[in-house]
């Protein structure tokens, strides 16, 4: 209960390596939903994947750890993090449901 009163954390992640064409975005969405995070993920034209995660500090840290490995078939060579002010992606409505989407 105590953790629910802590403010959410938001981070933008840029993932480099063999991260497109290996299911990275879909696996990221599944992992983020499992951790209860809000946000989105997309491929970038330069071959990187960009994602934004928002939620509890613990869940965001777990997601960052997962991003360093990625799904089977991915090879992550670099992870760049940019912390931002939360925008409310962690809670979209009064029922406390979280949304995480794949953007194109």
């Amino acid at each position: 209960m105590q953790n629910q009163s802590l403010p959410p954390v938001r981070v933008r992640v840029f993932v480099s390596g063999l991260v497109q064409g290996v299911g990275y975005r879909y696996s990221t969405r599944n992992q983020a939903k499992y951790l209860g995070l809000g946000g989105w993920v997309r491929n970038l034209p330069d071959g990187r994947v960009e994602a934004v995660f928002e939620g509890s500090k613990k869940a965001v840290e777990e997601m960052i750890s997962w991003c360093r490995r990625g799904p089977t078939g991915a090879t992550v060579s670099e992870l760049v993090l940019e912390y931002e002010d939360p925008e409310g992606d962690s809670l979209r409505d009064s029922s406390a449901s979280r949304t995480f989407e794949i953007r194109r």
Side-chain angles (χ1 to χ4, degrees), residues 1-9 55-57 91 98:
M1 287 277 247
Q2 186 177 0
N3 289 342
Q4 291 176 347
S5 63
L6 296 175
V9 173
S56 73
K57 180 178 179 183
L91 295 176
R98 290 166 171 80

Side-chain angles (χ1 to χ4, degrees), residues 54-87:
E54 186 171 321
S56 73
K57 180 178 179 183
K58 181 178 184 219
V60 168
E61 288 174 352
E62 287 181 39
M63 192 69 218
I64 291 168
S65 264
W66 182 91
C67 286
R68 292 187 196 285
R69 296 181 311 274
T72 303
T75 304
V76 176
S77 61
E78 183 180 29
L79 199 69
V80 176
L81 308 175
E82 296 177 358
Y83 286 89
E84 303 174 345
D85 291 332
E87 294 182 2

